[in-house]
Amino acid sequence: MIRLTNVHKWFKDLHVLNGVNLNVHQGEVVVVCGPSGSGKSTLIRTINQLETISEGEIWVDGKNVTDPKTDLNALRAEVGFVFQHFNLYPHLSVLDNITLSPIRVKKMGKAAAEQLAVELLDRVGLAHKKDAFPAQLSGGQQQRVAIARGLAMQPKVMLFDEPTSALDPEMIGEVLQVMRDLAKSGMTMMCVTHEMGFAREVADYVVFVDQGQVVEQAKPEEFFSNPQHERAKQFLRQLRSH
């Protein structure tokens, strides 16, 4: 479903991704972790070309997304993205935030888009907030709306970039529960997160990134009980000490 081959990314002199190779199969949940500044967010943002790459290839669902001829709007309709900071339109209601892209990009009728939006809001436990505006919601509620908005495009893949890092601790659980439910539904997911409990419970694989390279990839039970790479061991020790 997702394949990265020898992917490099430079920001001027900074070599942010250094020869990344990675495969994610349909229906798999992959958690990407690593120290701050390791390239995790850049890596996940290259998959739907929010960041272009300097070298290599990325394929999603049989399409080479790094080919200049690839229709990025069509790609992004298939690859949902949930940001760290929600990115909801403050002047639009919850319902309108969710229906905007299906109507504009997929040319869905307004009634059908609104019906789908209400179903998705019900799925994330927020059907009663459809007429509210983002400023009237808690951070956790805003992130759940952002997930519903991503799902409204009926994507084949969902990408999450630190979806809980901007939330107060008491709100993290509600967002992770929506993500757990999504994983159980068979959605292909890649998630950059420090929530290792989520990784243990839900991930098919944990990918550990350090200095722009995938240095370890293992099933959660193997990664947490017996990491092979010294930097992975240090990372886990630091997490446990907090």
Side-chain angles (χ1 to χ4, degrees):
M1 177 60 82
I2 302 170
R3 187 172 84 247
L4 288 80
T5 306
N6 195 33
V7 169
H8 291 261
K9 171 71 177 178
W10 281 271
F11 289 115
K12 295 187 178 175
D13 294 333
L14 191 61
H15 201 174
V16 182
L17 297 177
N18 185 2
V20 172
N21 294 288
L22 188 62
N23 283 296
V24 180
H25 298 105
Q26 187 167 351
E28 283 185 338
V29 178
V30 172
V31 165
V32 181
C33 63
S36 294
S38 60
K40 310 180 297 293
S41 288
T42 302
L43 170 63
I44 205 164
R45 288 169 69 89
T46 64
I47 292 167
N48 71 343
Q49 293 293 278
L50 289 173
E51 294 285 359
T52 57
I53 62 173
S54 308
E55 195 177 303
E57 285 186 348
I58 301 174
W59 292 75
V60 177
D61 195 28
K63 299 180 188 72
N64 181 355
V65 305
T66 45
D67 184 333
K69 298 190 204 69
T70 296
D71 181 344
L72 290 182
N73 286 330
L75 167 73
R76 288 171 186 157
E78 292 192 359
V79 182
F81 200 104
V82 177
F83 298 86
Q84 184 175 342
H85 291 290
F86 327 135
N87 287 14
L88 299 176
Y89 292 106
H91 61 290
L92 296 181
S93 70
V94 164
L95 191 71
D96 289 341
N97 262 282
I98 295 172
T99 60
L100 184 66
S101 288
I103 291 170
R104 282 196 181 173
V105 179
K106 287 206 158 181
K107 310 302 181 193
M108 191 180 284
K110 188 170 188 287
E114 289 186 350
Q115 183 181 342
L116 175 62
V118 170
E119 288 169 7
L120 291 169
L121 282 169
D122 188 50
R123 187 169 171 183
V124 300
L126 289 173
H128 61 296
K129 294 287 188 181
K130 68 182 177 67
D131 297 319
F133 287 83
Q136 298 170 303
L137 305 179
S138 70
Q141 288 172 331
Q142 288 187 60
Q143 193 61 292
R144 285 189 278 157
V145 172
I147 293 172
R149 178 182 60 183
L151 291 173
M153 294 298 284
Q154 299 170 311
K156 295 179 178 175
V157 176
M158 283 290 284
L159 307 175
F160 296 84
D161 186 12
E162 298 275 16
T164 60
S165 65
L167 299 179
D168 293 330
E170 64 270 18
M171 296 175 187
I172 290 171
E174 64 189 69
V175 173
L176 292 178
Q177 187 55 53
V178 171
M179 292 170 65
R180 284 188 197 98
D181 293 344
L182 194 55
K184 286 175 191 160
S185 75
M187 174 66 75
T188 306
M189 294 167 59
M190 277 186 75
C191 181
V192 174
T193 185
H194 282 97
E195 296 295 333
M196 294 298 105
F198 174 79
R200 283 177 190 272
E201 186 182 339
V202 176
D204 293 291
Y205 288 97
V206 175
V207 172
F208 179 75
V209 177
D210 187 47
Q211 296 179 341
Q213 296 179 311
V214 173
V215 295
E216 190 157 344
Q217 183 173 345
K219 290 193 171 294
E221 57 270 22
E222 295 166 11
F223 180 74
F224 291 110
S225 64
N226 189 28
Q228 300 300 301
H229 195 275
E230 185 55 40
R231 290 285 287 171
K233 293 175 185 175
Q234 288 175 9
F235 173 75
L236 289 172
R237 280 197 297 269
Q238 286 171 346
L239 281 183
R240 288 170 187 141
S241 68
H242 287 302

